[in-house]
Amino acid sequence: VQMTQSPSYLAASPGESISISCKASRSISNNLAWYQEKPGKANKLLIHSASTLQSGTPSRFSGSGSGTDFTLTIRSLESEDFAVYYCQQFNEYPLTFGSGTKLEIK
Amino acid sequence: VQLVESGGGLVQPGRSLKLSCAASGFTFTNHYMAWVRQAPKKGLEWVATISSSGSRTYYADSVKGRFTVSRDNAKSSLYLQMNSLKSEDTATYYCARDDWFAYWGQGTLVTVSS
């Protein structure tokens, strides 16, 4: 399953809201996760099952979608949110990641 | 939960290397485990997964036939035997607990170069 993530780069200001899209080449039901990558830190699972917040994920993060189209939304960006984000499908092997979205401060 | 990878380093093309991941803070035998890699300045790539008993393994096409994932449940350890290494295998290798990859290690760098 190919995962197409967009945009690859996004610049936004603290307080703004942003969305990242992830499209699967065929249906993956809701078997999708979102991760945050920051330098020097272990990758962090934010959301699994497309919309279930992992324990410890702030409520300003939300995930939606099922089948082939998925979205990660971050409301009211905070400085700690500027990072790289990846989606990943868990529906079938081989497991596949999106290409990543780098979120930078405008 | 703690996952600590080791065994990375510089290796020549065609040679072998074995990575280890020491797990603690959870019941290792209850969980599938996985290896994920990230080439320099690139995205994440799933490499392999092993079932909790070790009886089932899954591989990315890019490593199938060259890499072998294994585990020692008595030692709470995960391994990745990498043979016939290529320059394109250069990456940081992470182990992750395969329940939505909720936990990741900090990674170990493998550089394949002559």
Side-chain angles (χ1 to χ4, degrees), chain A residues 35-81:
Chain A
Y35 302 94
Q36 180 188 66
E37 176 189 89
K38 298 177 83 170
K41 292 193 167 186
N43 292 332
K44 182 181 179 183
L45 172 66
L46 298 172
I47 289 169
H48 66 82
S49 306
S51 61
T52 301
L53 258 62
Q54 175 69 358
S55 174
T57 300
S59 58
R60 62 182 179 275
F61 289 84
S62 64
S64 63
S66 67
T68 60
D69 289 357
F70 302 86
T71 302
L72 171 70
T73 299
I74 312 174
R75 291 182 293 105
S76 192
L77 282 165
E78 298 195 5
S79 57
E80 67 212 45
D81 300 336

Side-chain angles (χ1 to χ4, degrees), chain B residues 14-18 63 65-68 80-86 89:
Chain B
R15 303 298 290 264
S16 299
L17 199 64
K18 186 173 184 177
V63 307
R66 299 187 299 122
F67 290 12
T68 302
L80 185 68
Q81 176 68 46
M82 304 185 294
N83 298 333
S84 303
L85 281 161
K86 307 175 182 179
D89 295 319

